[in-house]
Amino acid sequence: MANPVPPSHRDPITFALVGNPNCGKTTVFNCLTGMRQKVGNYPGVTVEKKTGQFFSLHGEPMQLTDLPGAYSLTPRSPDEAITRDVLLGRRSDTPRPDRVVCVIDSSNLERNLFLVTQVLDLGLPTIVVLNMTDLAEEKGLNIDPQALSLELGVPVIPCRAHQKTGITELRQAMGRQTLSPPDRKWRLPEGLESAVLRIQACLINEHKVDPSASFASALNLLSESPEKRSNSCPKCNSFLNTADTLLKEEERSSHEAIVGARYDFAQAVCERIIQRSRPEDALDLSDRLDAVFTHPVWGWVAFFSAMGLMFFSIFTLAIYPMEWVDQMFGLLSSWVSDTLPKGDLTDLLTDGVIAGVGGVLVFLPQILILFFFIGMLEDTGYMARAAFIMDRVMSRVGLHGKSFIPLLSSYACAIPGIMATRTIENPKDRLVTILVAPLMSCSARLPVYALLIAALFPSETVPALAKAGIMMGLYAIGTIGAFGFAALFRKTIMRGESSLFMMELPPYRLPSLRAVVIQMFNRSKLFVRRAGTVILGLSILLWFLTAYPKSGSESASVQLETSYAGRAGKLIEPVIKPLGFDWKIGIGLIGSFAAREVFVSTMSIVYNVEDDQDTVVPLRENMLKEKWPDGRMVYTPLTCVSLLLFYVIALQCVSTIAVVRRETNSWKWPLFQLGYLTVTAYLVSWVVFQSGHALGY
């Protein structure tokens, strides 16, 4: 008798995790997989793909794919199309799952059951997770999980994922070998039901369609236009014509009939399994909080308070960890200098690798705080409220309400923000959002802002509140600029009516610290990965450009000035000097077109190379010593303001340009975007510096 295969060597059981947006699906995914996650994109599209590994209670390996949130498997967006195609096995890059876990929001059961009926029609063994039961109880809804299980014909697991309640029971259910495909419980109107069953039988017998998915295929065929049905056999066409006749008599489309039947079933189920402990129209906690957070006045107060707290925390909570990181890289640089012999290799490691990468990673604590706050806003449900109150402003400048989430995502990085515009149905609304998204100050700008604000306020006695105020002002300038250009584009090159704004306001809930930390870790990992790859490579290249060709002089200043980098900076200095920038800043501007945060590592390399001392001098102090040939200080407050404004507006990110090219399928729009942002940044900096200079600053 053959030895049984150890659990760790068996092929994993594959599960797909599906659910409506804001149902807590990601929290369930994090509870099951922990840190064993892999995040990427589906090939050919910009939709995120998340997979994770875990083991059942009996040691069976399992693989879980977190599919994009969807309200329906009749897709209206790329996210919903991906979810449908994976469940139907239509994607070559993602095999059809063995089983499905469908997460539903208990406090909005009727709406969520619509998707459940579609998933069950696919014939895959399914487990329903009745999540957020605590929120349902707060609304006075008492749901019987066993009764719901009988109504649907599948296991139903009550859960409070943010408290990890029910996760063990879910893992136990996922590990059961007896999980079987469900029977369909909902029904179409009698005559239409009969016609669809005949179409289903025809697909199985004549077209050899998988019986488990045959009913869903029959519904899809019924919903198609007559032109797309041309490949159907005569028998199927006969049944389809019968169904069309019935629908015509009822003056309904096939879509209306199918959707109506699903909702009738969902409503009937809810009436049978839900007991209400208070009137349906009674106000719950979310309603009372919305009276404040969506108020025309207090909503804005809350919004600006939340943003102010975030930026204040960036400057206060991050101080000590930033100092620790800075000291660590300083000690590492000193150790390398003391251990290795003098020469180019030592200089490369200290002035190139350590100074370049360390100059960016020192800002990691601030990046972590930014991502933490964004995660908390999303997890509590406040993000949708912020979108609601912002729609009042955005609609006046021609932006769609759905543009808020992509624009807010661009505060972290313009790339996922631009990807998120795929949820906007109107092509002109989507293109306008793409064109203005880089104006939202991304996390890559944060190191540049922090460095220049520190140079602007060299005294440590300046309160953190003042620095946070300037930081928030920079974000506000970028946001106002985005709105201004959106209004301009909507009145000129993108004329047309915007579509109506509709957004679901999820219930408020206590955030899951675990989910927020995992999300913060995954987002920050991309920043660290770029520091270890792109920035490391550019740091080595920049060190080479500052160290060669050798001038033969003992002076580091002469060596820098005659190097390749120095020559490039000297070449563009006449163009940028009216902005208050010298040739060394020019080197940073050139380098930062690869990635904005490279400006900091470039300055670290430039000033470390120039420094004649053996000790590592803080970058800010080196910058503040810099002078023009006539003895004037380079980094005056006016120059710092001019440079800050340039970085607020300019598009200095090759990756963003590449993503815009992919999303618009044209070089026209990324080149237009690069042109208008660069010209605007130059003009704004020129006006500010020249005006300030004329006034005697």
Side-chain angles (χ1 to χ4, degrees):
M1 181 176 178
N3 293 326
V5 179
S8 59
H9 294 162
R10 298 174 189 163
D11 291 334
I13 302 172
T14 58
F15 281 85
L17 190 65
V18 301
N20 286 184
N22 303 311
C23 70
K25 178 169 61 67
T26 299
T27 305
V28 173
F29 179 77
N30 290 334
C31 287
L32 289 171
T33 62
M35 304 302 289
R36 297 177 296 277
Q37 300 178 9
K38 183 178 179 182
V39 181
N41 280 345
Y42 286 93
V45 293
T46 53
V47 178
E48 189 178 77
K49 179 179 182 180
K50 292 174 65 177
T51 59
Q53 302 280 342
F54 68 104
F55 292 93
S56 72
L57 296 181
H58 302 291
E60 292 91 349
M62 300 198 172
Q63 179 171 301
L64 186 63
T65 300
D66 184 12
L67 296 180
Y71 291 108
S72 169
L73 296 185
T74 304
R76 293 174 296 174
S77 69
D79 283 10
E80 291 184 338
I82 288 288
T83 297
R84 178 204 61 189
D85 291 344
V86 170
L87 292 176
L88 290 174
R90 293 179 180 176
R91 292 195 63 89
S92 59
D93 54 78
T94 307
R96 194 184 192 207
D98 300 321
R99 303 175 182 180
V100 177
V101 174
C102 190
V103 182
I104 59 178
D105 176 4
S106 303
S107 61
N108 289 290
L109 187 60
E110 183 177 326
R111 188 204 64 218
N112 281 242
L113 284 177
F114 178 84
L115 178 65
V116 173
T117 63
Q118 290 182 313
V119 172
L120 296 182
D121 286 348
L122 302 180
L124 291 169
T126 301
I127 300 171
V128 172
V129 177
L130 193 63
N131 197 27
M132 302 182 184
T133 54
D134 51 333
L135 296 180
E137 291 168 2
E138 289 176 7
K139 284 187 171 184
L141 305 176
N142 299 313
I143 302 173
D144 186 343
Q146 293 182 342
L148 180 59
S149 178
L150 291 173
E151 293 281 355
L152 299 178
V154 296
V156 174
I157 310 297
C159 184
R160 299 178 183 180
H162 66 288
Q163 298 175 354
K164 293 189 176 181
T165 303
I167 297 300
T168 299
E169 291 79 1
L170 175 59
R171 290 180 62 195
Q172 185 177 24
M174 294 172 74
R176 291 187 183 128
Q177 299 296 327
T178 56
L179 200 61
S180 57
D183 294 325
R184 181 171 60 93
K185 300 292 185 178
W186 71 281
R187 293 292 182 269
L188 290 162
E190 184 175 351
L192 189 60
E193 172 80 14
S194 177
V196 171
L197 289 177
R198 290 190 177 94
I199 297 170
Q200 179 186 9
C202 181
L203 290 174
I204 295 173
N205 298 326
E206 304 295 332
H207 298 271
K208 310 304 179 185
V209 172
D210 182 358
S212 64
S214 57
F215 185 78
S217 299
L219 291 182
N220 288 336
L221 188 60
L222 178 63
S223 300
E224 289 180 348
S225 61
E227 295 78 16
K228 292 185 178 180
R229 298 175 182 172
S230 56
N231 293 329
S232 301
C233 65
K235 187 181 293 186
C236 275
N237 279 330
S238 173
F239 299 141
L240 287 167
N241 291 334
T242 301
D244 288 340
T245 301
L246 291 170
L247 290 168
K248 190 174 182 179
E249 291 174 355
E250 297 179 5
E251 297 183 346
R252 291 198 297 175
S253 67
S254 58
H255 177 74
E256 290 172 336
I258 295 169
V259 169
R262 292 188 192 276
Y263 271 117
D264 288 344
F265 170 75
Q267 185 179 21
V269 169
C270 290
E271 289 175 354
R272 288 193 291 266
I273 69 167
I274 297 178
Q275 292 183 345
R276 297 183 181 273
S277 59
R278 65 183 186 192
E280 189 172 351
D281 57 353
L283 296 179
D284 59 13
L285 178 61
S286 289
D287 295 325
R288 292 193 291 271
L289 289 174
D290 278 339
V292 176
F293 291 127
T294 62
H295 190 271
V297 176
W298 298 116
W300 285 106
V301 173
F303 176 78
F304 285 116
S305 298
M307 296 297 104
L309 177 62
M310 179 174 71
F311 293 121
F312 180 75
S313 300
I314 286 172
F315 272 102
T316 54
L317 300 181
I319 290 176
Y320 294 110
M322 286 177 69
E323 290 179 352
W324 299 335
V325 174
D326 191 34
Q327 291 171 3
M328 180 188 70
F329 279 100
L331 291 172
L332 178 61
S333 181
S334 298
W335 179 81
V336 171
S337 297
D338 296 338
T339 304
L340 297 180
K342 299 291 183 182
D344 281 355
L345 177 59
T346 302
D347 292 342
L348 168 62
L349 293 175
T350 57
D351 299 334
V353 175
I354 297 174
V357 176
V360 173
L361 287 183
V362 72
F363 297 100
L364 180 60
Q366 292 182 320
I367 302 294
L368 289 168
I369 291 174
L370 174 66
F371 287 151
F372 175 79
F373 268 91
I374 291 177
M376 291 290 285
L377 293 175
E378 291 175 343
D379 215 43
T380 57
Y382 177 75
M383 194 73 84
R385 275 75 186 179
F388 176 78
I389 65 170
M390 286 296 294
D391 179 61
R392 300 167 188 167
V393 174
M394 298 175 74
S395 60
R396 294 178 182 175
V397 298
L399 279 172
H400 191 274
K402 286 187 177 180
S403 299
F404 176 76
I405 299 299
L407 292 180
L408 192 64
S409 300
S410 297
Y411 279 133
C413 180
I415 293 173
I418 290 169
M419 292 177 182
T421 61
R422 288 198 163 199
T423 61
I424 304 173
E425 293 87 359
N426 187 306
K428 289 185 177 179
D429 289 337
R430 179 170 180 257
L431 185 54
V432 170
T433 307
I434 289 174
L435 290 177
V436 302
L439 283 162
M440 313 300 283
S441 290
C442 65
S443 59
R445 287 182 173 108
L446 190 57
V448 183
Y449 291 170
L451 174 64
L452 294 174
I453 291 173
L456 187 62
F457 292 117
S459 173
E460 300 300 335
T461 60
V462 177
L465 189 60
K467 296 180 179 179
I470 292 180
M471 178 76 78
M472 191 171 179
L474 294 172
Y475 277 73
I477 290 171
T479 304
I480 293 170
F483 289 173
F485 275 111
L488 177 64
F489 294 153
R490 271 322 227 147
K491 292 178 181 178
T492 53
I493 60 176
M494 296 290 172
R495 288 180 183 159
E497 293 292 329
S498 292
S499 52
L500 294 175
F501 171 57
M502 295 182 64
M503 173 175 275
E504 175 192 10
L505 294 181
Y508 291 97
R509 52 181 177 265
L510 290 174
S512 167
L513 186 60
R514 175 186 175 86
V516 171
V517 169
I518 289 176
Q519 184 182 42
M520 180 178 69
F521 172 79
N522 286 334
R523 290 177 173 178
S524 301
K525 186 166 61 175
L526 299 176
F527 178 81
V528 175
R529 185 182 299 163
R530 186 151 67 168
T533 54
V534 176
I535 294 173
L536 174 61
L538 289 172
S539 296
I540 294 173
L541 176 61
L542 287 167
W543 173 85
F544 172 81
L545 295 176
T546 56
Y548 291 92
K550 295 296 185 181
S551 66
S553 172
E554 295 293 330
S555 170
S557 298
V558 174
Q559 170 57 44
L560 177 61
E561 192 168 352
T562 58
S563 67
Y564 295 122
R567 295 173 186 176
K570 290 281 188 180
L571 181 66
I572 68 170
E573 188 178 54
V575 178
I576 61 176
K577 192 172 182 179
L579 312 183
F581 308 160
D582 69 350
W583 60 274
K584 294 179 184 176
I585 296 177
I587 297 174
L589 292 177
I590 294 172
S592 61
F593 270 95
R596 295 179 181 97
E597 65 269 42
V598 172
F599 176 82
V600 178
S601 59
T602 303
M603 293 294 98
S604 299
I605 294 169
V606 166
Y607 288 106
N608 275 345
V609 168
E610 188 187 13
D611 183 48
D612 292 314
Q613 304 176 25
D614 291 331
T615 57
V616 177
V617 180
L619 175 58
R620 183 188 67 180
E621 295 180 15
N622 267 7
M623 291 171 63
L624 292 175
K625 294 176 184 177
E626 190 64 26
K627 295 181 180 180
W628 290 97
D630 60 6
R632 291 180 296 116
M633 303 303 298
V634 171
Y635 289 94
T636 63
L638 184 58
T639 299
C640 290
V641 170
S642 175
L643 190 52
L644 280 168
L645 290 174
F646 186 89
Y647 269 97
V648 168
I649 302 170
L651 175 59
Q652 293 169 292
C653 182
V654 173
S655 300
T656 300
I657 295 172
V659 168
V660 174
R661 160 66 180 84
R662 183 171 62 181
E663 290 296 307
T664 61
N665 198 29
S666 168
W667 278 110
K668 170 186 174 182
W669 295 114
L671 292 176
F672 170 76
Q673 187 181 53
L674 175 63
Y676 95 81
L677 288 174
T678 303
V679 170
T680 303
Y682 187 93
L683 291 176
V684 169
S685 294
W686 182 84
V687 169
V688 169
F689 184 80
Q690 294 299 326
S691 299
H693 187 66
L695 293 172
Y697 290 101

